[in-house]
């Protein structure tokens, strides 16, 4: 063991030096640029402030005396060691690719999307092409933001409704589905939010049964009928696409048709996205504008997914016929 008067090197410094000795084996990585320019001043600056630190420590309670003693016998890295660290870091920087302006723009867009998604999750609204995304970029408190968004839909419902009905006409679902959605939109406009939830949630199941299972009888598992085939769709095929689509897909397959039990009932009750089993069997009351909007937006998304799955089926059949 070393004597008490011998200066000891921090174990962390030894670890750093050992790790940096392996720098030639490091492969290029996409990590932020590091600036070690100030590190060379560590020794001088630190030695300059140590006397003041010692004086203050001496004024503290007795338990801190031991800390002072340890600091006095701790050796700072030598200037040579600091220079070695700086040189090795520069070698690592040389291996790192610099992002292009296009990549930087993409990263910024992804960050904005993630930030908006977090806001939507907090206020309990599913993303949709009609979402007033600009409102999400402000500094409003969640309660204030909910009031603004609700007022936005009240003020612009005529345009939102027209767009939803026009979009539905392009979906590859039967006329019954399109008519049902139109009735739900009219009910929402009249404030019949309970009716919207109880009308649309079973309709998604009916559309899946008719369009993807030949109107067969028996139980229907949405995660099998829509979930698994839907995994083959690209995230750019729906509107909203990308990150928003992934969240909607999860809601469709892992939430809306989950069976309610004693373990999940309270959680589902506090969720602003309705659950079909809870709505149909009267286990949870869905009566708010948010419940209604979420049911409409999720139905719009489900019809798109069903349309995409049908397209994949036709393409697979055509490929089989061609071989």
């Amino acid at each position: 063991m070393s004597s008490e008067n011998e200066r000891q090197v921090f174990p962390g410094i030894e670890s750093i030096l050992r790790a940096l000795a392996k720098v030639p084996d490091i492969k290029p990585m996409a990590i932020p640029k590091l600036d070690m320019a100030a590190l060379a001043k560590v020794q001088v600056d630190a030695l300059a402030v140590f006397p003041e630190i010692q004086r203050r420590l001496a004024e503290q309670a007795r338990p801190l005396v031991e800390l002072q003693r340890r600091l006095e016998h701790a050796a700072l890295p030598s200037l040579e060691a600091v220079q070695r660290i700086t040189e090795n870091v520069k070698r690592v920087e040389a291996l790192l690719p610099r992002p292009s302006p296009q990549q930087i723009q993409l990263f910024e867009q992804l960050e904005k999307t993630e930030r908006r998604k977090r806001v939507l999750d907090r206020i309990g609204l599913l993303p949709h092409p009609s979402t007033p995304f600009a409102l999400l970029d402000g500094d409003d408190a969640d309660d204030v933001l909910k009031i603004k968004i609700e007022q936005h839909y009240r003020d612009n419902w005529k345009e939102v409704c027209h767009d939803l009905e026009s979009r539905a006409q392009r979906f590859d679902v039967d006329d019954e589905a399109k008519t049902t959605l139109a009735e739900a939109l009219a009910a929402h406009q009249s404030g019949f939010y309970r009716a919207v939830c109880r009308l649309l949630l079973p309709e998604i199941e009916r559309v899946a049964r008719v369009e993807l299972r030949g109107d067969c009888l028996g139980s229907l598992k949405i995660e099998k009928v829509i979930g698994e085939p839907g995994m083959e769709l690209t995230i750019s095929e729906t509107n909203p696409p990308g990150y928003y689509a992934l969240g909607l897909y999860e809601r469709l397959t892992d939430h809306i048709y989950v069976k309610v039990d004693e373990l999940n009932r309270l959680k589902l009750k506090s969720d602003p996205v309705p659950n079909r089993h809870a709505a149909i069997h009267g286990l949870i009351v869905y009566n708010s504008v948010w419940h209604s909007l979420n049911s409409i937006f999720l139905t719009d998304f489900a019809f798109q997914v069903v349309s995409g799955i049908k397209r994949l089926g036709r393409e697979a059949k055509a490929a089989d016929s061609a071989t």
Side-chain angles (χ1 to χ4, degrees):
M1 297 179 62
S2 302
S3 64
E4 183 178 1
N5 292 327
E6 291 179 345
R7 291 180 176 272
Q8 303 295 318
V9 178
F10 286 134
I13 296 299
E14 294 181 351
S15 300
I16 291 173
L17 293 177
R18 285 197 301 270
L20 288 172
K22 301 178 180 180
V23 165
D25 298 327
I26 293 179
K27 297 179 180 180
M29 297 173 58
I31 61 177
K33 182 179 179 181
L34 301 176
D35 182 7
M36 300 293 291
L39 188 56
K41 297 176 59 181
V42 168
Q43 185 175 21
V44 177
D45 291 348
L47 289 175
V49 301
F50 259 40
E52 177 63 13
I53 294 176
Q54 293 171 1
R55 185 186 67 78
R56 294 187 180 184
L57 286 174
E59 296 173 355
Q60 302 302 315
R62 189 177 183 83
L64 294 179
V65 175
E66 177 63 16
L67 176 60
Q68 178 185 0
R69 186 187 67 80
R70 291 173 180 266
L71 286 174
E72 290 173 346
H73 291 275
L76 290 168
S78 66
L79 182 59
E80 180 183 358
V82 172
Q83 291 174 341
R84 284 169 54 198
I85 293 173
T86 305
E87 291 172 0
N88 280 302
V89 169
K90 289 181 178 179
R91 291 167 59 193
V92 172
E93 284 186 343
L95 296 173
L96 303 179
R98 296 183 180 276
S100 66
Q102 292 78 13
Q103 289 174 321
I104 294 175
Q105 184 178 10
L106 175 61
F107 295 152
E108 291 175 346
Q109 184 60 43
L110 290 174
E111 192 278 331
K112 178 186 287 188
T113 299
E114 165 64 17
R115 185 173 65 251
R116 289 173 169 179
K117 177 66 165 52
R118 289 198 301 268
V119 175
L120 288 174
D121 288 342
R122 288 203 313 269
I123 66 176
L125 185 66
L126 295 177
H128 186 261
S130 66
T131 301
F133 287 105
L135 291 178
L136 306 180
D137 297 331
D139 298 324
D140 294 320
D142 290 349
D143 290 343
V144 174
L145 182 58
K146 289 180 70 173
I147 293 173
K148 287 186 175 181
I149 290 179
E150 182 175 345
Q151 189 61 49
H152 166 84
Y153 278 109
R154 292 186 188 280
D155 294 342
N156 298 279
W157 187 248
K158 183 177 180 180
E159 292 78 8
V160 173
C161 184
H162 179 267
D163 180 65
L164 278 161
E165 290 182 281
S166 298
R167 284 159 51 80
Q169 295 303 316
R170 299 191 296 270
F171 298 154
D172 190 6
V173 294
D174 62 13
D175 290 339
E176 177 66 18
K178 298 171 183 177
T179 301
T180 301
L181 178 60
E183 290 181 359
L185 295 174
H188 179 90
Q189 183 172 356
S190 299
F192 300 149
Y193 305 135
R194 297 177 183 83
V196 173
C197 300
R198 297 184 183 184
L199 178 64
L200 289 181
L201 298 184
E203 184 62 15
I204 296 176
E205 185 176 359
R206 187 198 69 81
V207 168
R209 184 186 304 276
V210 170
E211 302 291 352
L212 303 178
R213 283 294 183 269
D215 200 16
C216 66
L217 295 176
S219 61
L220 191 73
K221 294 185 179 298
I222 294 296
E223 67 272 18
K224 295 288 185 181
V225 178
I226 292 181
E228 293 182 0
M231 291 293 291
E232 302 298 323
L233 300 173
T234 64
I235 60 176
S236 62
E237 190 160 338
T238 59
N239 190 6
Y243 188 50
Y244 297 122
L246 293 176
L248 288 166
Y249 176 83
E250 183 178 4
R251 284 292 197 168
L252 179 62
T253 57
D254 296 334
H255 169 81
I256 190 173
Y257 290 99
V258 171
K259 185 175 182 180
V260 183
D261 55 33
E262 291 300 327
L263 297 177
N264 62 16
R265 187 176 184 181
L266 288 178
K267 180 181 178 181
L268 290 172
K269 186 175 182 178
S270 63
D271 198 314
V273 179
N275 169 274
R276 180 256 186 207
H277 185 244
I280 297 303
H281 296 281
L283 301 174
I284 298 175
V285 174
Y286 296 119
N287 58 4
S288 73
V289 61
W290 301 100
H291 293 140
S292 181
L293 284 173
N294 283 331
S295 296
I296 291 170
F297 297 161
L298 201 54
T299 301
D300 177 270
F301 178 76
F303 287 179
Q304 294 182 69
V305 174
V306 169
S307 300
I309 294 173
K310 290 181 67 177
R311 178 187 57 77
L312 291 178
R314 290 193 300 269
E315 291 176 354
K317 185 178 295 186
D320 291 340
S321 300
T323 57

